[in-house]
Short mmCIF file of all heavy atoms in Angstrom, two decimals:
data_model
loop_
_atom_site.label_atom_id
_atom_site.label_comp_id
_atom_site.label_asym_id
_atom_site.label_seq_id
_atom_site.Cartn_x
_atom_site.Cartn_y
_atom_site.Cartn_z
N MET A 369 -24.43 58.98 -28.14
CA MET A 369 -23.79 57.86 -27.44
C MET A 369 -24.72 56.65 -27.49
O MET A 369 -25.86 56.72 -27.08
CB MET A 369 -23.51 58.25 -25.98
CG MET A 369 -22.82 57.15 -25.20
SD MET A 369 -22.67 57.57 -23.45
CE MET A 369 -21.55 58.99 -23.54
N LYS A 370 -24.22 55.57 -28.02
CA LYS A 370 -25.03 54.35 -28.08
C LYS A 370 -25.04 53.67 -26.71
O LYS A 370 -24.06 53.72 -25.99
CB LYS A 370 -24.44 53.38 -29.10
CG LYS A 370 -24.64 53.84 -30.53
CD LYS A 370 -24.21 52.78 -31.51
CE LYS A 370 -22.71 52.59 -31.51
NZ LYS A 370 -22.26 51.62 -32.51
N GLU A 371 -26.14 53.02 -26.41
CA GLU A 371 -26.23 52.24 -25.19
C GLU A 371 -26.30 50.77 -25.57
O GLU A 371 -26.98 50.39 -26.52
CB GLU A 371 -27.49 52.61 -24.39
CG GLU A 371 -27.45 53.99 -23.78
CD GLU A 371 -26.54 54.04 -22.54
OE1 GLU A 371 -26.28 52.98 -21.96
OE2 GLU A 371 -26.11 55.15 -22.19
N ALA A 372 -25.61 49.96 -24.83
CA ALA A 372 -25.73 48.53 -25.06
C ALA A 372 -27.15 48.09 -24.72
O ALA A 372 -27.77 48.62 -23.81
CB ALA A 372 -24.72 47.77 -24.20
N SER A 373 -27.63 47.11 -25.44
CA SER A 373 -29.00 46.67 -25.22
C SER A 373 -29.17 46.08 -23.83
O SER A 373 -30.18 46.28 -23.17
CB SER A 373 -29.40 45.65 -26.28
OG SER A 373 -28.51 44.56 -26.27
N HIS A 374 -28.16 45.36 -23.37
CA HIS A 374 -28.17 44.85 -22.01
C HIS A 374 -27.61 45.93 -21.11
O HIS A 374 -26.43 46.24 -21.21
CB HIS A 374 -27.34 43.57 -21.92
CG HIS A 374 -26.19 43.57 -22.89
ND1 HIS A 374 -26.20 42.83 -24.04
CD2 HIS A 374 -25.03 44.25 -22.89
CE1 HIS A 374 -25.07 43.05 -24.70
NE2 HIS A 374 -24.35 43.92 -24.03
N SER A 375 -28.44 46.51 -20.26
CA SER A 375 -28.02 47.74 -19.60
C SER A 375 -27.11 47.48 -18.41
O SER A 375 -26.21 48.26 -18.14
CB SER A 375 -29.23 48.55 -19.17
OG SER A 375 -30.04 47.78 -18.31
N ILE A 376 -27.32 46.42 -17.69
CA ILE A 376 -26.52 46.15 -16.49
C ILE A 376 -26.00 44.72 -16.54
O ILE A 376 -26.75 43.79 -16.77
CB ILE A 376 -27.33 46.37 -15.20
CG1 ILE A 376 -27.78 47.83 -15.12
CG2 ILE A 376 -26.50 46.00 -13.97
CD1 ILE A 376 -28.65 48.11 -13.91
N LEU A 377 -24.71 44.58 -16.34
CA LEU A 377 -24.09 43.27 -16.40
C LEU A 377 -23.29 43.03 -15.14
O LEU A 377 -22.83 43.98 -14.50
CB LEU A 377 -23.12 43.19 -17.59
CG LEU A 377 -23.68 43.49 -18.97
CD1 LEU A 377 -22.53 43.69 -19.94
CD2 LEU A 377 -24.56 42.35 -19.43
N ALA A 378 -23.09 41.79 -14.82
CA ALA A 378 -22.08 41.48 -13.82
C ALA A 378 -20.73 41.80 -14.45
O ALA A 378 -20.51 41.58 -15.63
CB ALA A 378 -22.14 40.01 -13.45
N GLU A 379 -19.84 42.36 -13.63
CA GLU A 379 -18.56 42.77 -14.20
C GLU A 379 -17.70 41.55 -14.49
O GLU A 379 -17.32 40.82 -13.59
CB GLU A 379 -17.83 43.68 -13.22
CG GLU A 379 -16.53 44.19 -13.81
CD GLU A 379 -15.86 45.21 -12.89
OE1 GLU A 379 -16.28 45.32 -11.74
OE2 GLU A 379 -14.94 45.87 -13.36
N PRO A 380 -17.38 41.31 -15.75
CA PRO A 380 -16.51 40.17 -16.05
C PRO A 380 -15.09 40.46 -15.60
O PRO A 380 -14.64 41.60 -15.64
CB PRO A 380 -16.56 40.07 -17.58
CG PRO A 380 -17.60 41.04 -18.03
CD PRO A 380 -17.76 42.05 -16.94
N ILE A 381 -14.39 39.44 -15.19
CA ILE A 381 -13.01 39.62 -14.75
C ILE A 381 -12.18 40.21 -15.87
O ILE A 381 -11.21 40.93 -15.64
CB ILE A 381 -12.43 38.28 -14.25
CG1 ILE A 381 -11.09 38.49 -13.57
CG2 ILE A 381 -12.29 37.28 -15.38
CD1 ILE A 381 -11.18 39.07 -12.19
N THR A 382 -12.55 39.94 -17.08
CA THR A 382 -11.76 40.40 -18.22
C THR A 382 -11.79 41.90 -18.39
O THR A 382 -10.90 42.48 -19.01
CB THR A 382 -12.24 39.73 -19.52
OG1 THR A 382 -13.65 39.93 -19.62
CG2 THR A 382 -11.91 38.27 -19.55
N VAL A 383 -12.82 42.53 -17.87
CA VAL A 383 -12.88 43.98 -18.01
C VAL A 383 -11.74 44.63 -17.24
O VAL A 383 -11.05 45.51 -17.73
CB VAL A 383 -14.24 44.52 -17.54
CG1 VAL A 383 -14.20 46.04 -17.43
CG2 VAL A 383 -15.32 44.11 -18.54
N GLY A 384 -11.53 44.16 -16.01
CA GLY A 384 -10.46 44.73 -15.23
C GLY A 384 -9.07 44.41 -15.78
O GLY A 384 -8.16 45.21 -15.68
N LEU A 385 -8.93 43.24 -16.36
CA LEU A 385 -7.61 42.79 -16.81
C LEU A 385 -7.28 43.29 -18.21
O LEU A 385 -6.18 43.75 -18.46
CB LEU A 385 -7.55 41.27 -16.79
CG LEU A 385 -7.57 40.62 -15.42
CD1 LEU A 385 -7.59 39.10 -15.56
CD2 LEU A 385 -6.36 41.04 -14.60
N THR A 386 -8.21 43.16 -19.11
CA THR A 386 -7.90 43.46 -20.51
C THR A 386 -8.70 44.62 -21.07
O THR A 386 -8.42 45.09 -22.16
CB THR A 386 -8.18 42.23 -21.40
OG1 THR A 386 -9.58 41.96 -21.38
CG2 THR A 386 -7.44 41.01 -20.90
N ARG A 387 -9.73 45.05 -20.33
CA ARG A 387 -10.60 46.12 -20.81
C ARG A 387 -11.13 45.82 -22.20
O ARG A 387 -11.22 46.68 -23.06
CB ARG A 387 -9.89 47.48 -20.79
CG ARG A 387 -9.30 47.75 -19.44
CD ARG A 387 -9.21 49.22 -19.11
NE ARG A 387 -8.93 49.38 -17.70
CZ ARG A 387 -9.74 49.99 -16.85
NH1 ARG A 387 -10.86 50.52 -17.29
NH2 ARG A 387 -9.45 50.10 -15.60
N LYS A 388 -11.50 44.56 -22.39
CA LYS A 388 -11.97 44.14 -23.69
C LYS A 388 -13.43 44.52 -23.88
O LYS A 388 -14.27 44.25 -23.02
CB LYS A 388 -11.81 42.62 -23.79
CG LYS A 388 -12.23 42.03 -25.11
CD LYS A 388 -11.89 40.55 -25.12
CE LYS A 388 -12.77 39.79 -26.08
NZ LYS A 388 -12.54 38.35 -25.96
N CYS A 389 -13.71 45.14 -25.00
CA CYS A 389 -15.08 45.56 -25.31
C CYS A 389 -15.92 44.34 -25.65
O CYS A 389 -15.51 43.49 -26.44
CB CYS A 389 -15.06 46.53 -26.48
SG CYS A 389 -16.73 47.00 -27.00
N LEU A 390 -17.11 44.28 -25.06
CA LEU A 390 -17.99 43.13 -25.31
C LEU A 390 -18.71 43.27 -26.64
O LEU A 390 -19.31 42.32 -27.12
CB LEU A 390 -19.01 43.00 -24.19
CG LEU A 390 -18.42 42.85 -22.78
CD1 LEU A 390 -19.54 42.65 -21.77
CD2 LEU A 390 -17.43 41.70 -22.71
N ALA A 391 -18.67 44.44 -27.23
CA ALA A 391 -19.37 44.65 -28.49
C ALA A 391 -18.45 44.42 -29.69
O ALA A 391 -18.81 43.73 -30.63
CB ALA A 391 -19.97 46.05 -28.54
N CYS A 392 -17.26 45.00 -29.65
CA CYS A 392 -16.37 44.88 -30.81
C CYS A 392 -15.15 44.01 -30.51
O CYS A 392 -14.33 43.77 -31.40
CB CYS A 392 -15.93 46.26 -31.31
SG CYS A 392 -14.89 47.17 -30.16
N ASN A 393 -15.02 43.54 -29.25
CA ASN A 393 -13.96 42.60 -28.88
C ASN A 393 -12.56 43.17 -28.98
O ASN A 393 -11.59 42.42 -29.03
CB ASN A 393 -14.05 41.31 -29.70
CG ASN A 393 -15.21 40.44 -29.23
OD1 ASN A 393 -15.49 40.37 -28.04
ND2 ASN A 393 -15.88 39.79 -30.17
N LYS A 394 -12.43 44.49 -29.01
CA LYS A 394 -11.09 45.07 -29.00
C LYS A 394 -10.58 45.13 -27.57
O LYS A 394 -11.31 45.52 -26.66
CB LYS A 394 -11.09 46.48 -29.60
CG LYS A 394 -11.26 46.48 -31.10
CD LYS A 394 -10.69 47.76 -31.68
CE LYS A 394 -10.91 47.85 -33.18
NZ LYS A 394 -10.29 46.75 -33.92
N ARG A 395 -9.33 44.77 -27.39
CA ARG A 395 -8.72 44.83 -26.07
C ARG A 395 -8.29 46.25 -25.73
O ARG A 395 -7.96 47.03 -26.61
CB ARG A 395 -7.51 43.91 -26.02
CG ARG A 395 -7.88 42.45 -25.96
CD ARG A 395 -6.65 41.62 -25.83
NE ARG A 395 -7.00 40.26 -25.40
CZ ARG A 395 -6.18 39.49 -24.71
NH1 ARG A 395 -4.98 39.92 -24.38
NH2 ARG A 395 -6.55 38.29 -24.35
N PHE A 396 -8.26 46.52 -24.45
CA PHE A 396 -7.82 47.82 -23.94
C PHE A 396 -8.62 48.96 -24.54
O PHE A 396 -8.12 50.04 -24.77
CB PHE A 396 -6.31 48.01 -24.17
CG PHE A 396 -5.50 46.85 -23.66
CD1 PHE A 396 -4.88 45.99 -24.53
CD2 PHE A 396 -5.42 46.61 -22.30
CE1 PHE A 396 -4.16 44.90 -24.06
CE2 PHE A 396 -4.69 45.54 -21.81
CZ PHE A 396 -4.06 44.68 -22.70
N ALA A 397 -9.90 48.67 -24.83
CA ALA A 397 -10.75 49.67 -25.48
C ALA A 397 -11.66 50.37 -24.48
O ALA A 397 -12.09 51.49 -24.72
CB ALA A 397 -11.60 49.01 -26.57
N LEU A 398 -11.94 49.71 -23.37
CA LEU A 398 -12.92 50.28 -22.44
C LEU A 398 -12.26 51.30 -21.52
O LEU A 398 -11.24 51.03 -20.90
CB LEU A 398 -13.56 49.16 -21.61
CG LEU A 398 -14.43 48.18 -22.39
CD1 LEU A 398 -15.06 47.19 -21.43
CD2 LEU A 398 -15.51 48.89 -23.19
N GLU A 399 -12.89 52.46 -21.44
CA GLU A 399 -12.46 53.48 -20.50
C GLU A 399 -13.50 53.63 -19.41
O GLU A 399 -14.70 53.68 -19.68
CB GLU A 399 -12.31 54.83 -21.22
CG GLU A 399 -11.13 54.89 -22.14
CD GLU A 399 -10.94 56.30 -22.68
OE1 GLU A 399 -11.91 56.87 -23.17
OE2 GLU A 399 -9.82 56.80 -22.59
N HIS A 400 -13.03 53.72 -18.18
CA HIS A 400 -13.95 53.91 -17.05
C HIS A 400 -14.46 55.33 -17.06
O HIS A 400 -13.68 56.28 -17.05
CB HIS A 400 -13.21 53.61 -15.74
CG HIS A 400 -14.05 53.78 -14.53
ND1 HIS A 400 -13.77 54.70 -13.56
CD2 HIS A 400 -15.20 53.15 -14.17
CE1 HIS A 400 -14.71 54.62 -12.62
NE2 HIS A 400 -15.57 53.70 -12.96
N LEU A 401 -15.77 55.46 -17.12
CA LEU A 401 -16.37 56.79 -17.15
C LEU A 401 -16.73 57.26 -15.75
O LEU A 401 -16.44 58.39 -15.37
CB LEU A 401 -17.64 56.80 -18.01
CG LEU A 401 -17.46 56.65 -19.52
CD1 LEU A 401 -18.82 56.73 -20.19
CD2 LEU A 401 -16.56 57.73 -20.07
N ARG A 402 -17.42 56.40 -15.00
CA ARG A 402 -17.88 56.81 -13.67
C ARG A 402 -18.27 55.58 -12.87
O ARG A 402 -18.52 54.51 -13.42
CB ARG A 402 -19.06 57.77 -13.78
CG ARG A 402 -20.28 57.16 -14.44
CD ARG A 402 -21.41 58.18 -14.57
NE ARG A 402 -22.53 57.60 -15.33
CZ ARG A 402 -22.65 57.70 -16.64
NH1 ARG A 402 -21.74 58.36 -17.34
NH2 ARG A 402 -23.67 57.13 -17.26
N THR A 403 -18.33 55.78 -11.58
CA THR A 403 -18.86 54.75 -10.68
C THR A 403 -19.97 55.38 -9.87
O THR A 403 -19.80 56.45 -9.29
CB THR A 403 -17.77 54.23 -9.74
OG1 THR A 403 -16.72 53.66 -10.52
CG2 THR A 403 -18.32 53.16 -8.81
N ALA A 404 -21.12 54.73 -9.85
CA ALA A 404 -22.26 55.25 -9.11
C ALA A 404 -22.65 54.25 -8.03
O ALA A 404 -22.44 53.05 -8.17
CB ALA A 404 -23.44 55.47 -10.05
N GLU A 405 -23.22 54.78 -6.95
CA GLU A 405 -23.75 53.90 -5.92
C GLU A 405 -25.15 53.45 -6.32
O GLU A 405 -25.96 54.24 -6.78
CB GLU A 405 -23.85 54.65 -4.59
CG GLU A 405 -22.51 54.94 -3.96
CD GLU A 405 -21.87 53.67 -3.41
OE1 GLU A 405 -22.59 52.70 -3.13
OE2 GLU A 405 -20.64 53.66 -3.26
N HIS A 406 -25.40 52.16 -6.18
CA HIS A 406 -26.72 51.63 -6.49
C HIS A 406 -27.25 50.94 -5.24
O HIS A 406 -26.51 50.21 -4.59
CB HIS A 406 -26.63 50.64 -7.65
CG HIS A 406 -27.97 50.23 -8.20
ND1 HIS A 406 -28.77 49.31 -7.57
CD2 HIS A 406 -28.64 50.63 -9.30
CE1 HIS A 406 -29.88 49.16 -8.28
NE2 HIS A 406 -29.83 49.95 -9.33
N PRO A 407 -28.54 51.16 -4.90
CA PRO A 407 -29.04 50.63 -3.62
C PRO A 407 -28.99 49.12 -3.50
O PRO A 407 -28.81 48.60 -2.39
CB PRO A 407 -30.49 51.13 -3.58
CG PRO A 407 -30.80 51.62 -4.94
CD PRO A 407 -29.49 52.00 -5.59
N THR A 408 -29.14 48.40 -4.60
CA THR A 408 -29.12 46.94 -4.49
C THR A 408 -27.96 46.31 -5.25
O THR A 408 -27.60 45.17 -4.97
CB THR A 408 -30.44 46.33 -5.01
OG1 THR A 408 -30.65 46.80 -6.34
CG2 THR A 408 -31.61 46.72 -4.13
N LEU A 409 -27.38 47.02 -6.16
CA LEU A 409 -26.35 46.41 -7.01
C LEU A 409 -24.94 46.74 -6.55
O LEU A 409 -23.98 46.32 -7.17
CB LEU A 409 -26.53 46.86 -8.47
CG LEU A 409 -27.85 46.44 -9.12
CD1 LEU A 409 -27.93 47.00 -10.53
CD2 LEU A 409 -28.00 44.93 -9.14
N GLY A 410 -24.82 47.51 -5.48
CA GLY A 410 -23.48 47.91 -5.07
C GLY A 410 -22.98 49.04 -5.96
O GLY A 410 -23.72 49.93 -6.32
N HIS A 411 -21.71 48.97 -6.29
CA HIS A 411 -21.17 49.98 -7.19
C HIS A 411 -21.55 49.65 -8.62
O HIS A 411 -21.44 48.51 -9.04
CB HIS A 411 -19.64 50.05 -7.08
CG HIS A 411 -19.18 50.64 -5.79
ND1 HIS A 411 -18.80 49.87 -4.72
CD2 HIS A 411 -19.06 51.93 -5.39
CE1 HIS A 411 -18.46 50.66 -3.72
NE2 HIS A 411 -18.61 51.91 -4.09
N LEU A 412 -21.98 50.66 -9.33
CA LEU A 412 -22.34 50.49 -10.72
C LEU A 412 -21.30 51.26 -11.53
O LEU A 412 -21.23 52.47 -11.50
CB LEU A 412 -23.74 51.05 -10.95
CG LEU A 412 -24.47 50.62 -12.21
CD1 LEU A 412 -24.67 49.10 -12.22
CD2 LEU A 412 -25.81 51.32 -12.29
N LYS A 413 -20.46 50.51 -12.23
CA LYS A 413 -19.38 51.13 -12.98
C LYS A 413 -19.75 51.23 -14.45
O LYS A 413 -20.23 50.28 -15.04
CB LYS A 413 -18.08 50.32 -12.82
CG LYS A 413 -17.51 50.43 -11.44
CD LYS A 413 -16.11 49.87 -11.40
CE LYS A 413 -16.12 48.46 -10.85
NZ LYS A 413 -14.78 47.91 -10.65
N THR A 414 -19.52 52.40 -15.00
CA THR A 414 -19.83 52.62 -16.41
C THR A 414 -18.53 52.73 -17.20
O THR A 414 -17.64 53.49 -16.84
CB THR A 414 -20.66 53.90 -16.59
OG1 THR A 414 -21.85 53.79 -15.82
CG2 THR A 414 -21.03 54.11 -18.06
N TYR A 415 -18.46 51.94 -18.24
CA TYR A 415 -17.32 51.99 -19.14
C TYR A 415 -17.80 52.34 -20.53
O TYR A 415 -18.90 51.99 -20.93
CB TYR A 415 -16.65 50.61 -19.23
CG TYR A 415 -15.95 50.16 -17.98
CD1 TYR A 415 -16.64 49.49 -16.99
CD2 TYR A 415 -14.59 50.40 -17.81
CE1 TYR A 415 -16.00 49.06 -15.84
CE2 TYR A 415 -13.94 49.97 -16.67
CZ TYR A 415 -14.64 49.29 -15.69
OH TYR A 415 -14.00 48.87 -14.56
N GLN A 416 -16.95 53.02 -21.30
CA GLN A 416 -17.25 53.28 -22.70
C GLN A 416 -16.11 52.80 -23.56
O GLN A 416 -14.94 52.99 -23.24
CB GLN A 416 -17.48 54.77 -22.93
CG GLN A 416 -17.88 55.06 -24.38
CD GLN A 416 -18.26 56.50 -24.61
OE1 GLN A 416 -17.80 57.40 -23.93
NE2 GLN A 416 -19.14 56.73 -25.57
N CYS A 417 -16.49 52.20 -24.69
CA CYS A 417 -15.49 51.70 -25.63
C CYS A 417 -14.96 52.86 -26.47
O CYS A 417 -15.74 53.62 -27.03
CB CYS A 417 -16.10 50.63 -26.52
SG CYS A 417 -14.96 50.03 -27.78
N LYS A 418 -13.63 52.94 -26.56
CA LYS A 418 -13.03 54.02 -27.34
C LYS A 418 -13.21 53.80 -28.83
O LYS A 418 -13.10 54.72 -29.61
CB LYS A 418 -11.52 54.10 -27.04
CG LYS A 418 -11.21 54.58 -25.65
CD LYS A 418 -9.71 54.77 -25.46
CE LYS A 418 -9.02 53.42 -25.36
NZ LYS A 418 -7.60 53.56 -24.97
N HIS A 419 -13.46 52.55 -29.21
CA HIS A 419 -13.53 52.23 -30.64
C HIS A 419 -14.94 52.34 -31.19
O HIS A 419 -15.16 52.98 -32.20
CB HIS A 419 -12.99 50.83 -30.88
CG HIS A 419 -11.52 50.74 -30.65
ND1 HIS A 419 -10.58 51.11 -31.59
CD2 HIS A 419 -10.82 50.35 -29.56
CE1 HIS A 419 -9.36 50.94 -31.08
NE2 HIS A 419 -9.48 50.48 -29.86
N CYS A 420 -15.90 51.71 -30.53
CA CYS A 420 -17.25 51.69 -31.09
C CYS A 420 -18.21 52.58 -30.31
O CYS A 420 -19.33 52.80 -30.74
CB CYS A 420 -17.78 50.26 -31.18
SG CYS A 420 -18.06 49.45 -29.60
N GLY A 421 -17.78 53.12 -29.17
CA GLY A 421 -18.60 54.11 -28.48
C GLY A 421 -19.70 53.53 -27.61
O GLY A 421 -20.45 54.28 -26.98
N VAL A 422 -19.84 52.21 -27.56
CA VAL A 422 -20.88 51.61 -26.74
C VAL A 422 -20.51 51.75 -25.26
O VAL A 422 -19.35 51.62 -24.90
CB VAL A 422 -21.07 50.13 -27.13
CG1 VAL A 422 -21.97 49.41 -26.14
CG2 VAL A 422 -21.65 50.03 -28.52
N THR A 423 -21.51 52.03 -24.45
CA THR A 423 -21.27 52.08 -23.01
C THR A 423 -21.82 50.83 -22.36
O THR A 423 -22.82 50.25 -22.79
CB THR A 423 -21.94 53.31 -22.38
OG1 THR A 423 -23.34 53.29 -22.65
CG2 THR A 423 -21.33 54.59 -22.92
N PHE A 424 -21.15 50.41 -21.29
CA PHE A 424 -21.56 49.24 -20.53
C PHE A 424 -21.66 49.62 -19.06
O PHE A 424 -20.80 50.35 -18.55
CB PHE A 424 -20.54 48.11 -20.67
CG PHE A 424 -20.40 47.60 -22.06
CD1 PHE A 424 -19.39 48.09 -22.88
CD2 PHE A 424 -21.27 46.65 -22.55
CE1 PHE A 424 -19.26 47.62 -24.18
CE2 PHE A 424 -21.14 46.17 -23.85
CZ PHE A 424 -20.14 46.66 -24.66
N ASN A 425 -22.69 49.13 -18.40
CA ASN A 425 -22.83 49.31 -16.96
C ASN A 425 -22.56 47.97 -16.29
O ASN A 425 -23.25 46.99 -16.56
CB ASN A 425 -24.24 49.79 -16.61
CG ASN A 425 -24.50 51.18 -17.14
OD1 ASN A 425 -23.67 52.08 -16.99
ND2 ASN A 425 -25.63 51.38 -17.78
N PHE A 426 -21.60 47.96 -15.41
CA PHE A 426 -21.26 46.73 -14.71
C PHE A 426 -21.56 46.89 -13.23
O PHE A 426 -21.10 47.85 -12.60
CB PHE A 426 -19.79 46.39 -14.88
CG PHE A 426 -19.42 46.07 -16.29
CD1 PHE A 426 -18.56 46.88 -17.00
CD2 PHE A 426 -19.93 44.94 -16.92
CE1 PHE A 426 -18.20 46.58 -18.32
CE2 PHE A 426 -19.58 44.64 -18.23
CZ PHE A 426 -18.72 45.46 -18.92
N ALA A 427 -22.34 45.96 -12.70
CA ALA A 427 -22.60 45.96 -11.27
C ALA A 427 -21.58 45.08 -10.58
O ALA A 427 -21.18 44.03 -11.10
CB ALA A 427 -24.01 45.43 -11.01
N THR A 428 -21.13 45.51 -9.39
CA THR A 428 -20.18 44.70 -8.66
C THR A 428 -20.85 43.47 -8.05
O THR A 428 -20.21 42.49 -7.76
CB THR A 428 -19.50 45.51 -7.56
OG1 THR A 428 -20.51 46.16 -6.78
CG2 THR A 428 -18.58 46.55 -8.17
N ARG A 429 -22.14 43.55 -7.83
CA ARG A 429 -22.87 42.36 -7.42
C ARG A 429 -24.28 42.46 -7.98
O ARG A 429 -24.81 43.56 -8.15
CB ARG A 429 -22.89 42.19 -5.90
CG ARG A 429 -23.65 43.29 -5.17
CD ARG A 429 -23.76 42.93 -3.69
NE ARG A 429 -24.64 43.89 -3.04
CZ ARG A 429 -24.24 45.01 -2.46
NH1 ARG A 429 -22.97 45.32 -2.49
NH2 ARG A 429 -25.10 45.80 -1.88
N LEU A 430 -24.88 41.33 -8.24
CA LEU A 430 -26.22 41.30 -8.78
C LEU A 430 -27.14 40.58 -7.80
O LEU A 430 -26.73 39.64 -7.14
CB LEU A 430 -26.25 40.54 -10.12
CG LEU A 430 -25.56 41.26 -11.29
CD1 LEU A 430 -25.50 40.32 -12.49
CD2 LEU A 430 -26.31 42.52 -11.67
N PRO A 431 -28.38 41.05 -7.68
CA PRO A 431 -29.31 40.35 -6.80
C PRO A 431 -29.62 38.95 -7.34
O PRO A 431 -29.51 38.70 -8.53
CB PRO A 431 -30.55 41.24 -6.84
CG PRO A 431 -30.44 42.04 -8.09
CD PRO A 431 -28.96 42.20 -8.36
N ASP A 432 -29.99 38.06 -6.45
CA ASP A 432 -30.33 36.71 -6.87
C ASP A 432 -31.44 36.74 -7.91
O ASP A 432 -32.42 37.46 -7.76
CB ASP A 432 -30.80 35.87 -5.67
CG ASP A 432 -29.65 35.58 -4.71
OD1 ASP A 432 -28.49 35.71 -5.15
OD2 ASP A 432 -29.92 35.25 -3.56
N GLY A 433 -31.27 35.97 -8.93
CA GLY A 433 -32.30 35.88 -9.96
C GLY A 433 -32.21 36.96 -11.01
O GLY A 433 -33.03 37.01 -11.91
N ALA A 434 -31.21 37.85 -10.91
CA ALA A 434 -31.08 38.86 -11.93
C ALA A 434 -30.65 38.24 -13.25
O ALA A 434 -29.94 37.24 -13.27
CB ALA A 434 -30.05 39.90 -11.50
N LEU A 435 -31.09 38.82 -14.31
CA LEU A 435 -30.81 38.37 -15.66
C LEU A 435 -31.39 36.98 -15.87
O LEU A 435 -30.79 36.12 -16.39
CB LEU A 435 -29.30 38.38 -15.95
CG LEU A 435 -28.61 39.74 -15.75
CD1 LEU A 435 -27.15 39.63 -16.11
CD2 LEU A 435 -29.27 40.83 -16.58
ZN1 ZN B 1728 -16.18 48.39 -28.75
#
C-alpha cells in the first residue's frame, strides 16, 4: 500500500462531495477506510483511492501553524 508523501491533510470539502483522489484526480475514487481519534487533530479519517491505491489521512481540524 502506497502512502501519500503528505501524511495528514485538512479534509477538503471535495472529498466528502466528490471523493476525488488528490493523486490521480479520479472522482468517486476514495473509499473511507477508518476514522481514528487523534489527541490534537480531532478525528483522523483515512481514505484509499480505488484506482491508484494511495491512502490519505484527513484531519477534521488542524492545529494553528500546521503545514
Ligand atoms: Zn487515485
Side-chain angles (χ1 to χ4, degrees):
M369 181 186 295
K370 289 187 291 183
E371 290 284 340
S373 57
H374 31 256
S375 58
I376 298 177
L377 303 166
E379 183 174 13
I381 190 76
T382 52
V383 169
L385 292 176
T386 65
R387 307 209 167 242
K388 181 174 155 187
C389 176
L390 303 183
C392 66
N393 286 324
K394 287 204 184 299
R395 286 183 165 208
F396 309 110
L398 294 183
E399 288 187 309
H400 180 242
L401 290 182
R402 62 182 175 270
T403 300
E405 289 288 338
H406 190 282
T408 55
L409 297 177
H411 289 98
L412 198 61
K413 289 192 260 186
T414 302
Y415 291 87
Q416 183 173 28
C417 177
K418 291 185 287 188
H419 291 278
C420 66
V422 170
T423 58
F424 297 95
N425 293 314
F426 294 115
T428 51
R429 65 173 188 269
L430 289 172
D432 290 342
L435 304 182

